[in-house]
Amino acid sequence: MKFSGTDSYVATEDLAVAVNAAVTLQRPLLVKGEPGTGKTELARQVAASLNLPMVEWHVKSTTRAQQGLYEYDAVSRLRDSQLGDARVHDVRNYIRKGKLWQAFEAPGRVVLLIDEVDKADIEFPNDLLQELDRMEFHVYETGETVRAQHRPVIIITSNNEKELPDAFLRRCFFHYIRFPDAETMRAIVRVHFPDIKDALLTEALTRFYTLREQPGLKKKPSTSEVLDWLKLILAEDLAPEDLKGDGRSLLPRLHGALLKNEQDVALFERLAFLDRQQRR
């Protein structure tokens, strides 16, 4: 079982090495990188490449580690007892299985995605240490121990919003997805838009990287945003020369797909104003 990318996902050599190392070591793969660099999609493509089912756990700021194991609905059980429902005699009727339980009890190996682990409370990753290490947990309400029938391939993503505990990091194989260079980005674009003309692609990527590397930019556009921009360019049937701004700013056409806040738009407008002043 080796991952090398798929027809719809360009994996760099170091990323493929990281995935395969984590699979071999049977350790979670912790993937960090800028938002929009394909961390979540990586897990889906690993599942597709290895022909494995996938279980996705998308973490929010309110998510607790216990929810990944199971939740006991005591309120529903109390209500049913008041109504005389016979289901109340079996506590299992009120146990909701979490994503880890689903992955552990799967009849075959699965890919388990724990997405954006850094969104939750700082104790969240610590609370999962034993379960991810031993591949088992105890259900106190029923007295049973749930053990993984097959150790899942675990991929954990983080946007680096907060530091993760050292004890958690020690249990993971780590990889940082660097922003693609121009050559890699060209290959990524070709996967999504195989018929795009070379001249248009070259001009678009030149303008994209110039914009992205502008000092003072609050939010740099990501891979997903350049793909959205190119989709609009192709939909409008624009030519390379059409990608220039309107002369009053340094912004490219359809820049709303690339820049997502008013500060960055204002930055380029100021730069254009200063450029016009200097030319007078």
Side-chain angles (χ1 to χ4, degrees), residues 54-270:
M54 185 168 173
V55 177
E56 300 187 33
W57 185 13
H58 298 285
V59 177
K60 301 179 181 179
S61 59
T62 56
T63 302
R64 296 176 293 108
Q66 179 64 33
Q67 293 173 307
L69 308 180
Y70 70 93
E71 290 184 280
Y72 170 51
D73 191 353
V75 174
S76 292
R77 193 180 189 195
L78 175 61
R79 184 188 64 238
D80 288 349
S81 68
Q82 294 170 339
L83 296 174
D85 194 322
R87 297 173 70 251
V88 76
H89 299 297
D90 188 352
V91 69
R92 289 178 176 81
N93 292 323
Y94 304 93
I95 299 291
R96 289 202 293 263
K97 298 177 181 179
K99 298 297 184 180
L100 264 71
W101 191 331
Q102 294 173 29
F104 285 5
E105 72 172 3
R109 202 174 193 187
V110 303
V111 172
L112 170 62
L113 168 65
I114 305 177
D115 197 28
E116 298 189 327
V117 68
D118 54 328
K119 274 190 175 181
D121 184 85
I122 189 61
E123 292 304 317
F124 177 88
N126 275 336
D127 291 342
L128 289 175
L129 291 180
Q130 179 171 312
E131 288 75 15
L132 295 180
D133 242 4
R134 301 177 60 184
M135 287 286 119
E136 66 178 39
F137 61 89
H138 189 69
V139 183
Y140 296 97
E141 289 77 9
T142 64
E144 66 181 307
T145 297
V146 177
R147 294 185 178 87
Q149 297 185 42
H150 305 273
R151 194 177 188 98
V153 176
I154 302 174
I155 297 178
I156 303 171
T157 72
S158 168
N159 286 327
N160 238 357
E161 292 182 7
K162 63 169 69 84
E163 289 295 321
L164 298 173
D166 289 345
F168 180 78
L169 295 174
R170 282 198 302 271
R171 289 163 168 81
C172 298
F173 190 94
F174 173 76
H175 182 74
Y176 184 86
I177 297 182
R178 293 180 176 83
F179 194 81
D181 58 25
E183 183 179 350
T184 304
M185 184 65 80
R186 185 179 288 270
I188 292 171
V189 171
R190 286 289 182 196
V191 167
H192 294 269
F193 308 109
D195 298 326
I196 190 170
K197 294 180 180 178
D198 285 337
L200 179 62
L201 178 56
T202 298
E203 181 67 22
L205 291 185
T206 298
R207 293 194 171 276
F208 169 72
Y209 279 100
T210 300
L211 183 149
R212 178 180 161 81
E213 292 163 9
Q214 174 62 47
L217 207 60
K218 184 176 181 181
K219 184 196 176 302
K220 294 183 178 182
S222 66
T223 305
S224 62
E225 287 156 343
V226 73
L227 291 176
D228 286 345
W229 185 51
L230 286 167
K231 185 175 182 179
L232 290 173
I233 288 172
L234 292 172
E236 295 288 331
D237 197 23
L238 299 181
E241 55 272 17
D242 296 328
L243 301 185
K244 299 178 182 179
D246 56 12
R248 294 182 306 232
S249 73
L250 300 178
L251 293 167
R253 291 276 294 274
L254 303 166
H255 64 267
L258 299 173
L259 300 178
K260 299 304 175 73
N261 61 68
E262 62 277 14
Q263 294 97 321
D264 288 341
V265 173
L267 170 64
F268 281 93
E269 290 173 343
R270 287 196 301 273

